Amino acid sequence: MGDHTHDTAPTQFVDAGGIRFAYRRFGNQDSGRTPVVFFQHFIGNLDDHDPAIGDGFAADREVILFNNTGVASTSGVVPDTIEQMATDAAAFIDALGLTAADLVGHSMGGLVAQQVALQRPDLVRKLVLVGTGPRGGVGIGESPAEIGALFGVKLPRQEDMWLPILFAPTETSQKLGREYVERIVAREDRDASPFGEQVYAGQGTAIHTYGTTKDPAYAILKSIKVPVLVVNGTDDIIIATINSYILQQFLPDAELILYPDANHGAHFQYPERFVTHTKLFLDR
């Protein structure tokens, strides 16, 4: 797979626990570095990952993207709990024959990645949590109606829906957001659309339950012993930026980076910066 890039890596399939998982695997498999597995956000599929980030990592390590259960080209029914999503994700990683991975989780994917670290600490070497928060975090799963409505907008090019969700309303941020959209639509063989009612319902229920199940003093975070890098924008409208502070304060070994003039997709706005910072963290 060393000759493939983010946009040319073929979609492959592996069976685990009765689910046929779709994934793409590319990058430098001979680097001696731990593979990086990316966990996707709400109603996202393989094509919503940023090629600038994937190829940035692939230069010196292996990159693995996947659709979890019931999403797009992966079979099954989307679970309605973060815990089951984590169980399924771990089964996928096991099915690839990996004994350890670095996990990069964005938004809902960050919730799932944390849960994998709790349920299967043997699998996780380091965590990168982007635009996400803890169980019972501030406002998680309780978005106001006007924010929730952003996910239901129908557009001629559906990927443009991500501009107000992931990027700040400033001219500079929206310009960088449009560049992100151009990057994610460039691939010719597209993944199956994830935008079915069952995906919305299952993932929405899982996020709401996880966010509204309070964890006094965020005690559960103390059980995540691996090093964690927390990344966000200065004004995340989907999972409020305060949750990134909470993660950094209550995880035993965490550091925090906030990118300026940025929203929920800060890493997509500054992909080169994100790759540089994350590699420094992963390679220590």
Side-chain angles (χ1 to χ4, degrees):
M1 302 302 295
D3 293 334
H4 287 290
T5 67
H6 186 285
D7 283 347
T8 66
T11 302
Q12 303 180 75
F13 296 89
V14 66
D15 293 322
I19 303 300
R20 187 172 186 252
F21 289 92
Y23 70 99
R24 294 173 186 160
R25 189 172 187 173
F26 58 100
N28 187 344
Q29 294 179 317
D30 301 321
S31 67
R33 292 181 169 92
T34 304
V36 180
V37 181
F38 284 77
F39 284 54
Q40 190 56 287
H41 57 67
F42 178 67
I43 66 170
N45 68 1
L46 288 170
D47 293 328
D48 294 309
H49 292 285
D50 191 342
I53 292 175
D55 289 337
F57 279 107
D60 56 12
R61 70 202 69 216
E62 187 176 22
V63 172
I64 298 168
L65 317 176
F66 77 107
N67 288 329
N68 211 344
T69 302
V71 173
S73 45
T74 290
S75 70
V77 175
V78 173
D80 61 3
T81 69
I82 296 297
E83 290 81 358
Q84 186 60 49
M85 291 180 186
T87 297
D88 294 350
F92 163 74
I93 294 171
D94 286 336
L96 294 185
L98 300 179
T99 57
D102 292 329
L103 310 186
V104 179
H106 177 216
S107 192
M108 181 191 74
L111 307 180
V112 180
Q114 290 174 67
Q115 195 63 31
V116 173
L118 290 166
Q119 295 176 192
R120 289 289 307 278
D122 58 300
L123 276 184
V124 182
R125 189 185 74 100
K126 289 188 177 183
L127 274 178
V128 180
L129 302 175
V130 186
T132 192
R135 182 194 297 270
V138 178
I140 296 177
E142 301 178 287
S143 296
E146 62 270 21
I147 297 298
L150 296 174
F151 291 93
V153 171
K154 302 300 181 185
L155 298 170
R157 184 171 68 173
Q158 193 58 41
E159 289 82 1
D160 288 327
M161 69 177 283
W162 298 122
L163 292 174
I165 294 171
L166 297 175
F167 299 90
T170 64
E171 181 178 349
T172 300
S173 184
Q174 286 295 301
K175 175 182 180 293
L176 294 170
R178 290 190 293 273
E179 292 175 5
Y180 159 75
V181 173
E182 292 300 327
R183 292 195 298 272
I184 67 172
V185 300
R187 185 180 172 106
E188 294 183 1
D189 57 323
R190 309 289 289 164
D191 194 16
S193 171
F195 298 106
E197 286 301 318
Q198 199 275 317
V199 175
Y200 276 95
Q203 293 185 351
T205 298
I207 295 169
H208 177 77
T209 301
Y210 203 80
T212 56
T213 302
K214 298 306 177 183
D215 175 24
Y218 301 104
I220 291 173
L221 292 178
K222 296 182 176 63
S223 297
I224 298 178
K225 305 297 187 184
V226 299
V228 182
L229 174 64
V230 182
V231 177
N232 209 338
T234 49
D235 186 15
D236 189 333
I237 66 169
I238 306 300
I239 296 182
T241 302
I242 187 63
N243 289 291
S244 294
Y245 285 100
I246 292 169
L247 287 171
Q248 192 278 324
Q249 289 292 303
F250 288 93
L251 286 162
D253 184 3
E255 53 194 279
L256 172 64
I257 297 175
L258 295 180
Y259 293 139
D261 184 30
N263 180 15
H264 192 53
H267 57 323
F268 300 146
Q269 181 164 326
Y270 302 107
E272 293 85 4
R273 194 180 305 186
F274 174 72
V275 169
T276 297
H277 290 158
T278 305
K279 283 185 177 182
L280 287 171
F281 166 73
L282 295 177
D283 288 346
R284 284 204 299 271

